[in-house]
Amino acid sequence: MTEKKQEEKEKTAAELLEEKLLMKQESGAKTLDPAEIEKADEFCEGYKSFLDRAKTERDAVRFTIEAAEAAGFTEYDYHKSYQPGDKVYVNNRGKAVMLCVMGTNGTHNGVRLGIAHIDSPRLDLKPNPLYESNDLALFRTHYYGGIKKYQWPTVPLALHGVVARKDGQVVDVCLGDEEGDPCFVVTDLLPHLAVEQMSKVMTKAFTGEQLNVLIGSRPFRLDEESKSVKLNVMNLLYEKYGFTQEDFVSAELTMVPAGKARDVGFDRSMIGAYGHDDKVCAYPALMAILDTPLPESTVITVLTDREEIGSDGATGMKSTFMADFIADLAKADGEELRHVMAKTTCLSADVNAAFDPTYASAFEADNSCYLNRGAVITKYTGSGGKYSTSDATAEYMARVRRILDDRNVLWQTGELGKVDGGGGGTIAKFVANLNADVVDLGVPVLCMHAPFEIVSKIDVYETYLALAAFYQA
Ligand code: MN
Ligand code: MN
């Protein structure tokens, strides 16, 4: 054996040891079979049309129920009795929805939960939004969720939501997303006159009261009405939707970024869109349950509202709606909710912040998630020293790893940025507080909470595979 060959042999031994002992963290774009990447691209075509239709929680619930009914799900009725294999959905006020496939073993060994949220940061209209100033008509807004306010001016916006009239009729409003629709916009100051604005710190440069949306500029011409641009806008709204200014009081109208999801990059490997957080996990959780064959333990996908504003309210995860439904299922099986919950396992499907080389100092590279490395398992979230988070047990983490590895799902692990960098939470803790095992699993996102967020197609697909594996394990 020559000296050179000996060197090669030693290197092989090191490689073998490395393979045995060290964690692999490689891009799925390098390691995945091209056929699987093709499947990911195909899966994401469906995801993009979901994004285009589901900008708000109400839009997402409508899409979900249509898809569920097409797949044989029926609306749950607590008076009825159900058999293994039955598929039901629960619609909570058109703003949150649960899909359930009854297992052969029902709830006796707990249920398998996949939970995601379908609300995203945006600009809600105030209860009295319409005003006129200097011959322009505008809507006043109250932002919803954590936004960087400077990102929202000069972005084309669409109006989504409902107006509930006093006579009980609920009018759907959706304007700005279709070809040929007008859009709306928050204005910004030209740089020539922005000397004072540009010297402000970013948190002060844009205030909530400045996020006013431009909606019209031509007056109602038939008489000398002083608020005539406002009147003209109200008249157009009345003609199209049949509601008056006072009806804004009983409306849920919101401004969201207009336009459709786009492929990003020369290689089309990424998707740019509004609302990936958390539609990018909601869609895989929906598809995973639609594709679930008869499971052993009952499987439930929960798509919830209000995560971006703390999960309070009847349609958020602090509400009892999910536990009440599981209590019904438990009762039908002769079980108590508390015994079912103690054996329940859950994937809280939410996004994490992908490592961004342009802002590398915000991340700790060894404990960050990366685009194209697959679904990210986030053991805990929170801030200020693991404050306000459920932290998955070591045993449950091991179980989830085993499930994913058994099905060859590409996964990674990561925290949300640097320890003292800030932080954030998910809905995991609300389920964990019911005495269930929960861990976060989802898709890495660049520019999270911006009007245009970025994800990798491979990661979206692997998150679907992860949820499907979890439901079928
Ligand atoms: Mn989220
Ligand atoms: Mn969020």
Side-chain angles (χ1 to χ4, degrees):
M1 200 180 274
T2 65
E3 237 180 66
K4 199 180 171 227
K5 272 186 183 163
Q6 234 166 3
E7 257 176 36
E8 269 175 17
K9 201 187 168 195
E10 276 165 19
K11 199 182 162 197
T12 307
E15 275 175 357
L16 285 172
L17 203 58
E18 191 177 317
E19 206 168 282
K20 183 179 168 188
L21 299 181
L22 299 186
M23 189 158 77
K24 279 191 215 75
Q25 283 185 301
E26 278 185 302
S27 165
K30 275 185 208 161
T31 59
L32 286 184
D33 192 301
E36 188 160 347
I37 295 178
E38 210 171 291
K39 276 190 206 160
D41 291 349
E42 213 177 286
F43 182 83
C44 284
E45 289 306 304
Y47 173 50
K48 285 193 290 181
S49 32
F50 172 71
L51 281 171
D52 294 343
R53 282 188 53 200
K55 295 211 172 175
T56 69
E57 65 280 356
R58 285 178 184 269
D59 300 334
V61 167
R62 203 176 300 125
F63 181 102
T64 300
I65 290 176
E66 269 177 37
E69 285 181 343
F73 285 69
T74 58
E75 185 155 22
Y76 175 67
D77 177 351
Y78 62 87
H79 298 293
K80 281 192 190 160
S81 64
Y82 292 94
Q83 306 301 319
D86 282 348
K87 300 167 173 186
V88 297
Y89 68 86
V90 180
N91 175 356
N92 184 357
R93 296 169 171 83
K95 291 166 66 73
V97 64
M98 295 181 284
L99 274 62
C100 170
V101 180
M102 314 273 178
T104 50
N105 195 30
T107 60
H108 297 295
N109 195 28
V111 297
R112 304 292 160 258
L113 285 171
I115 61 172
H117 68 92
I118 46 178
D119 61 322
S120 303
R122 64 198 188 210
L123 305 178
D124 283 351
L125 300 200
K126 288 188 180 187
N128 182 20
L130 177 62
Y131 74 105
E132 175 175 341
S133 187
N134 302 93
D135 297 335
L136 297 176
L138 301 112
F139 277 151
R140 295 188 201 278
T141 67
H142 194 139
Y143 61 94
Y144 174 101
I147 61 166
K148 290 165 97 173
K149 297 186 193 84
Y150 74 85
Q151 293 177 333
W152 291 73
T154 72
V155 170
L157 299 170
L159 181 65
H160 284 234
V162 296
V163 179
R165 294 193 330 211
K166 219 162 52 169
D167 64 7
Q169 199 187 326
V170 178
V171 185
D172 279 311
V173 177
C174 185
L175 189 64
D177 274 319
E178 291 307 316
E179 193 77 35
D181 277 359
C183 66
F184 311 95
V185 70
V186 174
T187 57
D188 193 5
L189 195 57
L190 62 168
H192 317 62
L193 298 179
V195 175
E196 193 198 331
Q197 182 195 44
M198 298 292 271
S199 67
K200 288 181 181 170
V201 293
M202 278 165 97
T203 50
K204 300 270 166 65
F206 294 88
T207 66
E209 300 302 341
Q210 283 175 318
L211 297 176
N212 301 315
V213 183
L214 185 61
I215 54 167
S217 69
R218 283 187 188 165
F220 187 78
R221 288 168 187 244
L222 297 182
D223 54 34
E224 293 303 305
E225 176 59 52
S226 61
K227 302 271 186 187
S228 56
V229 179
K230 170 176 156 176
L231 180 65
N232 195 37
V233 164
M234 204 57 244
N235 188 45
L236 290 167
L237 285 171
Y238 184 73
E239 282 174 354
K240 190 169 168 68
Y241 300 107
F243 67 86
T244 65
Q245 190 183 6
E246 197 182 295
D247 291 322
F248 279 119
V249 171
S250 52
E252 285 176 40
L253 291 171
T254 188
M255 287 286 176
V256 293
K260 296 189 187 312
R262 306 274 305 268
D263 284 346
V264 173
F266 290 112
D267 55 8
R268 296 181 172 265
S269 60
M270 299 165 280
I271 305 169
Y274 162 70
H276 282 313
D277 178 11
D278 188 29
K279 319 288 192 321
V280 77
C281 299
Y283 183 76
L286 167 61
M287 288 301 131
I289 198 161
L290 294 185
D291 295 345
T292 295
L294 182 63
E296 192 178 310
S297 289
T298 292
V299 165
I300 305 172
T301 284
V302 182
L303 303 183
T304 187
D305 179 26
R306 307 186 70 73
E307 192 276 344
E308 295 296 357
I309 52 168
S311 295
D312 289 294
T315 54
M317 276 314 279
K318 284 188 192 168
S319 157
T320 60
F321 76 92
M322 183 191 77
D324 290 346
F325 174 57
I326 299 173
D328 276 4
L329 301 179
K331 194 179 163 194
D333 289 341
E335 294 279 358
E336 295 285 347
L337 174 66
R338 62 183 186 276
H339 300 138
V340 171
M341 288 316 300
K343 287 179 275 187
T344 285
T345 53
C346 174
L347 289 183
S348 166
D350 206 346
V351 297
N352 197 337
F355 188 92
D356 185 339
T358 304
Y359 300 99
S361 65
F363 299 87
E364 187 263 285
D366 287 338
N367 286 280
S368 293
C369 58
Y370 294 79
L371 249 56
N372 283 331
R373 289 188 188 176
V376 53
I377 303 176
T378 308
K379 190 172 182 290
Y380 49 82
T381 57
S383 59
K386 292 194 174 184
Y387 192 82
S388 204
T389 178
S390 58
D391 191 340
T393 62
E395 293 85 348
Y396 186 54
M397 288 292 284
R399 180 171 165 170
V400 172
R401 277 173 61 200
R402 190 163 60 241
I403 291 170
L404 302 187
D405 285 345
D406 283 352
R407 298 279 192 119
N408 286 318
V409 178
L410 186 72
W411 64 270
Q412 56 184 322
T413 185
E415 287 194 38
L416 183 73
K418 273 190 175 166
V419 174
D420 289 329
T426 68
I427 53 179
K429 63 179 175 180
F430 305 120
V431 176
N433 290 346
L434 298 171
N435 190 25
D437 275 310
V438 190
V439 71
D440 275 296
L441 178 145
V443 177
V445 179
L446 289 170
C447 329
M448 195 192 296
H449 283 206
F452 195 71
E453 303 174 309
I454 311 293
V455 297
S456 126
K457 291 180 180 177
I458 287 175
D459 301 336
V460 179
Y461 183 59
E462 296 297 327
T463 296
Y464 157 75
L465 292 181
L467 283 153
F470 177 74
Y471 284 168
Q472 291 165 32

